[in-house]
Amino acid sequence: CFIINFLKGFSLSHISRYSLGAISASTAPIFAENTTTNPINIPDMEMGSDDAPITIIEYASFTCPHCASFHKNVFPSLRKNYIETGKVKFIYREVYFDGPGLWAALLARCGGAKKYFGISDLLYSKQREWTKGDGGAAIAQNLYKIGRIAGLDQSKMEVCLQDKDVATAMVARFQETTKADNVSSTPSLILNGKNIGNMSYTELAALIEEAMP
């Protein structure tokens, strides 16, 4: 999934206009007005030991089919063999192609760091299901179903998905980090500061072993 054309002129207004024409506030994310003037920090979502000799950053979008494939075919082995064994610190950074991608990220963050990766797994494994729907309202309802599976409260989800301050900060963070790491497609992996793109588990494992001290 290529993102280079999305970086120029990408903004919250671009996201907010995505198929929101006939959507009521009760059925889909209609961003609330800004309520704070203080900068909002958008933390990276991390997994693994801070002392790991290898750091891998993944740039991915919840609406990207290639990213769903990576999380089905590559990530489980990476997690089992390298992240959970203390060899790799894993950092996940979101990329937004469209409104649903941003809404999904808002939902994933709604459960906090402890639930983030569990919700992410659901978003990727059920990507074909929740991205289908007649407009944004249907997609929003699909996302709420995923949130309920993860144990999130409906009212809390609605607040999270309508938080314009957080959404604005997330888009700004996305623009900043993808530019800094020269990311033009998803998924993209950054291994100890080097952009290695996307690859099979066998290829990735070989690079990790090569980089081991």
Side-chain angles (χ1 to χ4, degrees):
C1 304
F2 292 95
I3 68 172
I4 191 167
N5 291 330
F6 287 84
L7 295 178
K8 186 176 181 181
F10 196 92
S11 66
L12 181 63
S13 60
H14 174 99
I15 285 291
S16 299
R17 290 195 302 268
Y18 183 85
S19 62
L20 292 179
I23 300 173
S24 69
S26 62
T27 56
I30 304 295
F31 292 117
E33 292 301 315
N34 288 14
T35 58
T36 180
T37 57
N38 297 323
I40 295 176
N41 177 51
I42 302 300
D44 287 329
M45 291 300 171
E46 302 178 354
M47 183 185 295
S49 172
D50 288 336
D51 297 324
I54 305 293
T55 297
I56 292 179
I57 303 172
E58 179 195 5
Y59 284 89
S61 168
F62 289 121
T63 54
C64 166
H66 296 297
C67 301
S69 178
F70 176 86
H71 277 264
K72 177 182 178 180
N73 301 314
V74 179
F75 186 72
S77 294
L78 172 65
R79 181 173 184 171
K80 178 182 178 180
N81 297 328
Y82 289 102
I83 299 172
E84 293 180 352
T85 57
K87 297 177 181 179
V88 166
K89 177 180 179 180
F90 178 77
I91 299 172
Y92 182 90
R93 289 180 179 168
E94 302 142 354
V95 170
Y96 317 120
F97 291 110
D98 45 38
L102 177 60
W103 303 342
L106 285 164
L107 178 75
R109 289 178 176 272
C110 194
K114 289 185 178 181
K115 288 192 174 184
Y116 182 86
F117 285 106
I119 296 175
S120 295
D121 288 344
L122 287 171
L123 289 168
Y124 280 124
S125 65
K126 297 179 178 294
Q127 185 188 81
R128 291 186 178 181
E129 299 171 29
W130 71 261
T131 54
K132 290 182 179 179
D134 186 15
I139 291 174
Q141 292 305 311
N142 293 340
L143 287 172
Y144 289 144
K145 290 179 183 177
I146 289 178
R148 287 193 290 271
I149 292 172
L152 298 182
D153 177 77
Q154 180 69 27
S155 60
K156 182 178 180 180
M157 287 190 289
E158 291 178 1
V159 170
C160 288
L161 267 66
Q162 294 173 25
D163 194 325
K164 184 175 182 179
D165 298 327
V166 171
T168 300
M170 287 168 61
V171 170
R173 176 67 173 162
F174 145 70
Q175 291 177 314
E176 174 190 0
T177 55
T178 51
K179 182 177 180 181
D181 283 330
N182 194 30
V183 173
S184 60
S185 63
T186 59
S188 282
L189 304 176
I190 312 296
L191 193 157
N192 281 357
K194 181 181 179 181
N195 191 331
I196 59 173
N198 182 27
M199 59 189 62
S200 69
Y201 173 72
T202 301
E203 294 170 319
L204 178 57
L207 290 181
I208 292 173
E209 292 295 338
E210 182 181 323
M212 283 289 181

